[in-house]
């Protein structure tokens, strides 16, 4: 049986797909921001002298890294209402993406922090810098510079993971595509187009992350 390709329904609803792309990029950027915050805070707590805090961070990382993202997003989506917190699917997806990405960011950033020589930290204190400035300028910035390529790769994966948010009807590209397929029954044409769109989104995100690296972490050039 010969399949008749028909991209006309895709072209007709292309603006909806573009809106879905914007939703995907919004979820990804918000998830990256939250993941970065969780990663930095987690590294600070991971280095705490308090054994309970260190244990809590280690348990968080192991639980998140060893469970599927789909299970995590379902857990957050159904657990928050039990705690009296009711959120729309999109904010719930952002929280799930941030938590998932944050667990990986903790280990990535921690590797960078551990690569900083102790002598460099001692030199910072010898120059009269406060603990905050030593952490911010002597530890965190060089560490982020070292691990930024790995962190960028993780964030690209997080961008693609946004597609799973369609499971809770969050507004993003895959959920829009599924709705178009249910209306047109043109699965191949729709998801062929969506595949190209995800490739473009990933490229844009990669270029954006490179621009951030150049702006914030590149060594100054004389």
């Amino acid at each position: 049986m010969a399949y008749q390709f028909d991209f006309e329904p895709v072209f007709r609803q292309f603006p909806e797909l573009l809106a879905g792309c914007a939703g995907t990029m919004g979820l990804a950027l918000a998830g990256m921001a939250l993941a970065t915050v969780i990663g930095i805070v987690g590294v600070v707590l991971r280095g705490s002298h308090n054994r309970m805090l260190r244990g809590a961070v280690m348990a968080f990382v192991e639980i998140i890294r060893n469970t599927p993202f789909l299970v995590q997003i379902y857990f957050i989506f159904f657990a928050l209402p039990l705690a009296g917190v009711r959120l729309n699917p999109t904010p719930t997806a952002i929280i799930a993406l941030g938590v998932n990405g944050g667990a990986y960011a903790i280990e990535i950033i921690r590797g960078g922090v551990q690569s900083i020589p102790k002598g460099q930290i001692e030199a910072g204190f010898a120059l009269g810098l406060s603990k905050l400035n030593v952490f911010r300028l002597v530890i965190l910035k060089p560490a982020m510079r070292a691990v930024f390529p790995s962190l960028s790769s993780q964030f690209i994966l997080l961008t693609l993971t946004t597609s799973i948010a369609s499971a809770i009807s969050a507004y993003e590209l895959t959920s829009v595509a599924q709705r178009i397929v249910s209306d047109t029954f043109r699965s191949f044409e729709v998801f062929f187009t969506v595949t190209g769109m995800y490739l473009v989104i990933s490229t844009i995100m990669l270029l954006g992350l490179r621009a951030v690296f150049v702006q914030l972490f590149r060594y100054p050039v004389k």
Side-chain angles (χ1 to χ4, degrees):
M1 184 174 65
Y3 182 81
Q4 298 295 321
F5 295 100
D6 183 10
F7 282 88
E8 192 276 333
V10 178
F11 296 143
R12 188 173 61 249
Q13 303 194 58
F14 199 72
E16 293 185 36
L17 291 173
L18 290 178
C21 287
T24 290
M25 295 181 73
L27 285 178
L29 290 172
M32 288 178 197
L34 182 57
T36 302
V37 172
I38 292 175
I40 294 173
V41 172
V43 167
V44 173
L45 297 178
R46 182 73 168 76
S48 170
H49 296 294
N50 189 312
R51 188 175 299 177
M52 290 185 63
L53 288 177
R54 293 201 310 271
V57 173
M58 292 171 62
F60 167 76
V61 171
E62 292 303 317
I63 290 171
I64 297 301
R65 293 201 307 173
N66 292 287
T67 54
F69 179 73
L70 182 61
V71 173
Q72 295 167 17
I73 198 170
Y74 274 145
F75 178 81
I76 294 173
F77 187 64
F78 292 112
L80 287 178
L82 295 178
V85 180
R86 297 188 178 276
L87 295 175
N88 291 329
T90 297
T92 303
I94 292 172
I95 293 172
L97 289 165
V99 168
N100 182 271
Y104 290 92
I106 288 173
E107 290 302 289
I108 293 172
I109 298 173
R110 187 170 71 92
V113 169
Q114 290 180 337
S115 70
I116 304 300
K118 290 185 178 180
Q120 186 171 317
I121 300 172
E122 292 170 356
F125 285 117
L127 291 172
L129 296 177
S130 65
K131 288 185 178 181
L132 177 61
N133 282 333
V134 167
F135 177 76
R136 185 170 62 90
L137 301 175
V138 180
I139 300 175
L140 183 61
K141 189 169 183 178
M144 291 293 288
R145 181 186 290 122
V147 303
F148 200 83
S150 298
L151 204 59
S152 296
S153 297
Q154 188 59 46
F155 284 163
I156 295 300
L157 289 175
L158 193 68
T159 300
L160 300 178
T161 304
T162 58
S163 61
I164 300 178
S166 62
I168 59 170
S169 300
Y171 188 81
E172 48 79 50
L173 181 56
T174 299
S175 64
V176 172
Q178 289 173 342
R179 191 158 56 248
I180 293 175
V181 168
S182 66
D183 292 338
T184 64
F185 300 101
R186 288 291 168 179
S187 302
F188 176 82
E189 290 88 340
V190 172
F191 283 107
F192 179 83
T193 305
V194 166
T195 300
M197 287 181 159
Y198 273 114
L199 180 60
V200 172
I201 290 172
S202 298
T203 303
I204 292 173
M205 287 295 185
L206 182 59
L207 294 175
L209 289 168
R210 286 179 180 173
V212 170
F213 177 81
V214 169
Q215 186 69 28
L216 298 180
F217 302 113
R218 188 181 65 174
Y219 286 104
V221 179
K222 294 184 179 179

